[in-house]
């Protein structure tokens, strides 16, 4: 028998776009390149960064216990594991881990943002109304960039001392006090704005990470949102406390 | 007027094997020829329609290994009109142990159809019904379940057993998505090629055998010819001939009508089901009607003002100036009389000038008593979402003011004539689902259209079509074959004609007017004078259509008015046949109430002596020819319905 | 009522398209939104102008065909309501109403307000089904399904495939649609054998179609006419993670 069906048409039947490499055929790590996979990367690295942020904040707050405590903590960070580990090995590996997390986090963020931009080539004429947390995409993306800039400045300032008034050889405590001198109010202000952005980032980020990792359920959402909101607020308060303390003279 | 029709030779079904009904389907499956699996992929089938019938058929044929081409006019097969069915699907599972059986489902369906359907087909439907539920559950259709996790059922449409399976108020949607997903699975597997946004405009018949279709790509306007070894029509019902109906806006008769013009007999075209509880039209702008579940009549009381032209608000009309007419005329059944009776009674009171709401087209369905008796919460629990839907559409809250309802066209029992194999009078042309006439006689029972669509598509057609396809290999038909060229040219010239008239009336304006004529004279109540008038008016209107219609734009683009105009042109021809069919059937039965045939107290009177047959009409271009298929009942006794 | 309509007009996919204003008098508050457009179109035809193309079919909120962005909101201002179920009484005399098509690369405009949504069909083709060839089904009552699971599966299964979620999403992501199907089939015992292959394949197809990624903003659920819940997305995420981990 012959193939007895025929069609006359000049327009080709739309061929189905095929995934470049289907996840099932990709390697165990490459799978995470799908849009959801990248979100998982973002959530996990975000969670690592979040843990860092919390520890960092608690460390900062030691400033209120006095100069000695703060400097000692700073020193301790560099000598954890001694004498088994050489000086700074622990901290450096922690830092290396954080750098990897930041890079992955930003890679995922940038590629998803680009995918989203490509996904809507023509915009709406009417300003799209925001019904839920649509604003979050802006806060996360533009806010993320500001946070990154802030982190770079922050490192240059306090870790390397390059932009710190006291230079790189001062003690950590002195650097901090010098930084937030009332005369340098604009630095304090920038710092506060950046911290608020981190707070907003976490407000959506924590909720989003829980959802991305598969734990979101209708009944749990109010609690998840509450925890995210409270945590974000605490982080903002915790980080703002030190500079404000310096500016108003509680810390000197 | 000239002779309206002539009578030709009787026809009969030759495919149902002789012998006891219970063995018929087994015997047929055993007697039919099979196609070797290796040969199936060399055979091609076109399926027009992706509703419950077409979707399930295309998926199943694909699974069997045939090359299938599937067509629908929507942008996705998932949107076929079956999606809108609410109530449920019947099956003789007897999970309730309440005395149900295949025999009882068969009996209920025959009786519900007012003894105008074929015993062999209906019996098979009841047999296959049990397999449908199995199939759907396996596909993941989320039917309602009870606390033990087993399937829940309810009783529906006035039967005494609980055999209706449902998925909240969206049974059609869930069943269709099951079929759609099975279909998409075959598309992915490469056995089914999907042509969405394609409208079939002509059937290709070669030497008396169906061999393909002409379809228009609704996006580009391209006219395509598709050939195959068999053609299956699953294009749904034609209720939209009335313009206002509960059908989707795109539902049409074009596919079946084109086949009718090419030689397929059209059976019982006048059998229309009119549903009593729809939301009434709110003005001239009305574009379609929305069905409200019939369950509302369990607790609502139907009434109109006793006086003509009473314009007071419902609340201001005292109890003794209200006419609870169903309770008055049918004291024993009251508000729960069957669909056709409730519909007709509503029309009568409105014709008397006692209707309520815009244009006087509506009657009250009042829940005040139910609210007083059961409490607001209980009523809300039962009917909450229906009340919400009503409020969304009308802006009125049924807790404060009585609902207004009016009957609307809902389903068409008529369709292309098919034999036991679901094959039409054109060899190679099969017709399934609402598009054929087969199983519901003069009146369809609630929850049985879904059953029929899926029975036809999943289980019946895939078995019967192999007997036909086994005759292959078939001659290859090229696109330059005379019959193909001719069909294509016919479509081209029709479209050209429609576009060239450039008159001064829109397609919709004609459709509305045609619908009004049909509703008036070929709706709930039919009589000779009216039908003759209707035929005359339809002919005039059709004339006018072909001289005054204005179809904007051109063919080579997305052109919704061109689509409409083509469908309306076919509705005109169908409308005339419906009126002729109604005129010739001088009896009242099921959805057809003929005023000349009623009991002394105004109830429908069937005439089994003269009309126990299927009226199958042949197209001639002039007066149609009537072929009768006599109906013999060997397993059930014919009785008259009474609801007083 | 008197209204000003600003409608997106685009001859075909290749055309650039633009907004055009129309004045409409005599709009009755009882009209549905689509009936209001019908009236406009009847007038345009008689004025020898091209009527506005828009998709619609059932006009009762179930087929998923209607698809208009009204004043920036897919399906317009009324919650849990499709465009075809929206009535003019939700608007005021003198209102200016902006009407646009769904905007997404994966939904190219065919004409005016009509877009091509076949990408959704292809996502289903990738795995949005249970493989149960006709005839192979076991007896329906053989496997009980807990009532709660059946209800949750049903809730997810009510998705009408309209695409409003994509239209509303700042990323034009199709996650809610995809997740609704994953959730529906993943909650039923019949859906288990293919559960993890299904989610990988459907997410891959979704990406290949050119939709954006989900950032859990919840805009989709706010406009979804069937109220498909956000948790469906989390369920998809959970399944996908499990599939990736193997
Ligand atoms: C509001 C409503 C509620 C209902 N509720 C119930 C219920 O509870 N229980 C019940 O049993 N029944 C119910 N019914 C009846 C039932 O839904 C239908 O009879 C049944 O779904 C018809 O299925 P089908 O597959 O034959 O056709 P449809 O589902 O109508 O499908 C027709 C298909 O054909 C295609 N098509 C049509 N013309 C063409 C053409 N020219 N070219 C190409 N393609 C074409 C369409 O695109 C579509 O895919 C209801 C009907 C309505 C209107
Ligand atoms: C202080 C360090 C940071 C922390 C603690 C942090 C934390 C998080 C967390 C927990 C998430 C949620 C992941 C998810 O959605 O599953 C997230 C998302 C995101 N982050 Fe960060 N992040 C940090 C820095 C950054 C930086 C520097 C950038 C940008 C360059 C960035 C850009 C984003 C973006 C775009 C998202 C996705 C938001 C969305 O879901 O809409 N983040 N982040
Ligand atoms: S999830 Fe909701 S908005 Fe999205 S396609 Fe389904 S019904 Fe439409
Ligand atoms: S037209 Fe069917 S959902 Fe609106």
């Amino acid at each position: 028998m012959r193939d007895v069906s025929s069609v006359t048409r000049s327009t080709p039947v739309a061929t189905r776009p095929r995934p470049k490499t289907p996840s099932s055929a990709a390697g165990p790590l490459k799978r995470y390149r799908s849009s959801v996979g990248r979100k998982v990367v973002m959530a996990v690295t975000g969670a690592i960064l979040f843990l860092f942020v919390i520890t960092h904040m608690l460390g900062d707050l030691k400033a209120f216990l006095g100069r000695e405590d703060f400097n000692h903590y700073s020193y301790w960070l560099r000598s954890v594991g001694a004498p088994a580990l050489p000086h700074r090995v622990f901290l450096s590996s922690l830092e290396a881990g954080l750098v990897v997390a930041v890079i992955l986090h930003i890679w995922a963020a940038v590629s998803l943002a680009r995918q989203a931009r490509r996904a809507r080539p023509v915009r709406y004429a009417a300003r799209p109304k925001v019904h839920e947390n649509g604003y979050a995409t802006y806060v996360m993306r533009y806010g993320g960039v500001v946070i990154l800039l802030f982190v770079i400045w922050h490192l240059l300032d306090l870790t390397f001392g390059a932009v710190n008034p006291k230079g790189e050889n001062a003690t950590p405590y002195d650097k901090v006090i010098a930084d937030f001198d009332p005369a340098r109010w604009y630095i304090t202000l920038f710092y506060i704005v950046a911290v608020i952005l981190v707070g907003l980032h976490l407000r959506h980020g924590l909720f989003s990470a829980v959802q991305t990792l598969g734990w979101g359920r209708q009944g749990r959402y109010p609690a998840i949102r509450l925890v995210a909101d409270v945590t974000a607020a605490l982080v903002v308060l915790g980080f703002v406390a030190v500079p404000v303390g310096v500016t108003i003279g509680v810390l000197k | 007027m000239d002779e309206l029709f002539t009578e030709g030779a009787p026809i009969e079904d030759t495919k149902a094997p002789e012998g006891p009904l219970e063995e018929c389907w087994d015997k047929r499956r055993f007697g039919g020829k099979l196609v070797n699996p290796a040969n199936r992929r060399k055979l091609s089938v076109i399926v027009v329609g992706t509703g419950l019938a077409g979707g399930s058929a295309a998926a199943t044929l694909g699974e069997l290994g045939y090359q299938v081409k599937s067509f629908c006019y929507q942008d996705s097969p998932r949107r076929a009109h079956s999606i809108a069915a609410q109530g449920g699907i019947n099956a003789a599972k007897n999970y309730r142990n309440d005395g149900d059986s295949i025999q009882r489902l068969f009996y209920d369906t025959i009786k519900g159809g007012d003894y105008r359907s074929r015993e062999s087909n209906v019996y098979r439907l009841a047999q296959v019904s049990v397999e449908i539920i199995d199939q759907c559950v396996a596909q993941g259709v989320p039917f309602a379940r009870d606390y033990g996790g087993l399937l829940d059922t309810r009783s529906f449409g006035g039967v005494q057993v609980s055999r209706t399976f449902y998925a909240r108020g969206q049974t059609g949607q869930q069943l269709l998505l099951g079929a759609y997903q099975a279909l998409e699975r075959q598309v992915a597997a490469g056995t089914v090629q999907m042509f969405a946004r394609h409208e079939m405009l002509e059937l290709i018949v070669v030497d008396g055998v169906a061999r393909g279709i002409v379809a228009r790509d609704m996006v580009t306007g391209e006219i395509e010819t598709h050939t195959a070894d068999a053609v299956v029509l699953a294009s749904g019902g034609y209720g939209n001939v009335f313009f206002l109906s509960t059908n989707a806006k795109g539902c049409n008769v074009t596919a079946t009508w084109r086949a009718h013009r090419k030689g397929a007999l059209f059976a019982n075209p006048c059998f229309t089901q009119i549903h009593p509880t729809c939301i009434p039209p709110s003005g001239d702008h009305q574009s379609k009607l929305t069905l409200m579940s019939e369950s509302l009549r369990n607790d609502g009381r139907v009434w109109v003002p006793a006086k003509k032209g009473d314009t007071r608000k419902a609340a201001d009309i005292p109890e003794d100036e209200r006419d609870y007419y169903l309770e008055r005329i049918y004291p024993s059944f009251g508000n729960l009389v069957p669909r056709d009776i409730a519909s007709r009674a509503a029309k009568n009171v409105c014709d008397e000038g006692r209707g309520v709401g815009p244009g006087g087209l509506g009657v009250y369905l009042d829940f005040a008593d139910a609210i007083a008796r059961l409490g607001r919460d209980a009523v809300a629990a039962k009917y909450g979402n229906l009340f919400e839907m009503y409020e969304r559409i009308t802006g009125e809250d049924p807790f404060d003011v009585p609902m207004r309802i009016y009957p609307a066209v809902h389903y068409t029992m008529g369709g292309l004539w098919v034999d036991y194999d679901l094959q039409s009078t054109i060899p190679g042309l099969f017709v399934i689902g609402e598009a054929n006439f087969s199983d519901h006689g003069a009146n369809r029972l609630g929850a049985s259209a879904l059953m029929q669509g899926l029975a036809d598509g999943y289980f019946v057609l895939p078995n019967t079509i192999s007997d036909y396809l086994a005759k292959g290999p078939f001659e290859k038909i090229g696109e330059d074959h005379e019959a193909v060229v001719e069909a294509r040219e016919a479509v081209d010239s029709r479209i050209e004609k429609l576009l060239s008239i450039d008159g001064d009336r829109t397609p919709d304006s004609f459709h509305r007017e045609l619908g009004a004529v049909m509703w008036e004279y070929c709706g709930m109540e039919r009589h000779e004078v009216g039908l003759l008038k209707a035929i005359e008016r339809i002919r005039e209107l059709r004339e006018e259509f072909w001289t005054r219609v204005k179809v904007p734009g051109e063919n080579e683009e997305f052109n919704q008015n061109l689509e409409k105009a083509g469908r309306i042109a076919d509705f005109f021809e169908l409308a005339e046949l419906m009126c002729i069919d109604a005129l010739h059937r001088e009896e009242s039965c099921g959805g057809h109430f003929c005023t000349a045939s009623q009991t002394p107290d105004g109830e429908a009177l069937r005439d089994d002596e003269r009309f126990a047959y299927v009226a199958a009409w042949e197209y001639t271009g002039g007066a149609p020819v009537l072929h009768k298929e006599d109906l013999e009942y060997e397993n059930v006794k014919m009785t008259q319905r009474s609801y007083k | 009522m008197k209204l000003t309509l600003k409608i997106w007009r685009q001859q075909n996919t290749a055309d650039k398209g633009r907004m055009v204003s129309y004045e409409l008098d005599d709009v009755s508050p009882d009209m549905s939104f689509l009936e209001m457009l019908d009236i406009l179109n009847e007038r345009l035809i008689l004025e020898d102008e091209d009527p506005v193309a828009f998709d619609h079919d059932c006009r009762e909120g179930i087929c998923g065909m209607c698809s208009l962005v009204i004043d920036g909101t897919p399906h317009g201002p009324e919650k849990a309501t499709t465009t075809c179920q929206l009535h003019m009484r939700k608007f005021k005399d003198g209102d200016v109403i902006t009407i646009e098509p769904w905007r997404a690369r994966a939904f190219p405009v065919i004409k005016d307000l009509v877009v091509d949504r076949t990408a959704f069909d292809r996502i289903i083709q990738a795995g949005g089904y249970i493989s149960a060839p006709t005839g192979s089904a076991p007896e329906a009552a053989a496997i009980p399904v807990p009532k709660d699971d059946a209800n949750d599966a049903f809730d997810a299964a009510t998705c009408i495939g309209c695409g409003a979620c994509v239209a509303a999403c700042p990323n034009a992501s199709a996650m809610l649609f995809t997740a609704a199907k994953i959730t529906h089939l993943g909650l039923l015992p019949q859906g288990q054998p293919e559960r993890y292959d299904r989610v990988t394949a459907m997410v891959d197809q979704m990406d290949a179609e050119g939709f954006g990624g989900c950032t859990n903003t919840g805009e989709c659920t706010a406009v979804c006419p069937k109220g498909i819940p956000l948790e469906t997305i989390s369920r998809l995420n959970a399944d996908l993670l499990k599939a990736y981990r193997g």
Side-chain angles (χ1 to χ4, degrees), chain C residues 7 11 21 58 81 93 110 120 125 141 155 157 166 179 181 194-195 197 203 208 219 239:
Chain C
I7 304 181
Q11 194 48 44
S21 284
C58 73
T81 303
D93 186 38
I110 289 175
F120 271 7
Q125 279 160 31
D155 285 340
V166 175
K181 191 47 62 193
E194 293 161 300
R195 181 166 173 184
D197 292 339
V203 167
E219 290 297 303
D239 280 6

Side-chain angles (χ1 to χ4, degrees), chain B residues 49-50 52-53 73-74 81-82 87-88 200 252 411 434 447-450:
Chain B
T50 58
L52 286 180
Y73 69 75
Q74 293 91 346
H81 179 57
S82 296
M200 167 184 168
N252 67 87
Y411 183 87
E434 193 174 341
S448 58
L450 302 184

Side-chain angles (χ1 to χ4, degrees), chain B residues 265-281:
Chain B
L265 301 190
F266 208 114
N268 300 333
C270 84
F271 285 165
T272 312
Q273 184 165 76
I274 290 169
H275 198 289
T277 52
C278 299
I279 302 178

Side-chain angles (χ1 to χ4, degrees), chain B residues 241-244 510-522:
Chain B
V241 66
F242 292 88
F243 186 72
L244 289 182
F510 282 104
H511 197 173
R512 268 180 205 281
E513 204 175 335
L514 171 68
V517 172
M518 289 301 284
W519 180 244
E520 182 62 31
Y521 301 112
C522 199

Side-chain angles (χ1 to χ4, degrees), chain C residues 22 32 35-36 59 65 67 71 114 125 140 156 163 192 227 241:
Chain C
Y22 300 91
S32 72
E35 282 164 354
M36 184 269 296
R59 295 204 179 187
M65 193 98 173
S67 42
D71 287 336
V114 175
Q125 279 160 31
Q192 298 312 309
L241 256 179

Side-chain angles (χ1 to χ4, degrees), chain B residues 79 83 248-249, chain C residues 34 55-67 75 82-85 160 162 226:
Chain B
R79 308 201 202 283
I83 201 102
K249 291 294 285 174
Chain C
L34 298 184
D55 260 334
H56 65 104
D57 200 27
C58 73
R59 295 204 179 187
E60 56 181 78
I62 193 73
C63 74
M65 193 98 173
C66 59
S67 42
H75 289 311
T82 54
T83 306
C84 58
Q85 293 278 75
I160 57 175
C162 62
K226 297 296 146 182

Side-chain angles (χ1 to χ4, degrees), chain B residues 84 122 163 232 245 266 313 317 331 452 471 505 542 573:
Chain B
V122 176
R163 66 157 78 100
V232 180
S245 81
F266 208 114
K313 282 204 267 188
I317 302 180
Q452 183 223 337
K471 297 193 180 98
R505 283 190 64 175
R542 187 165 119 200
E573 297 180 16

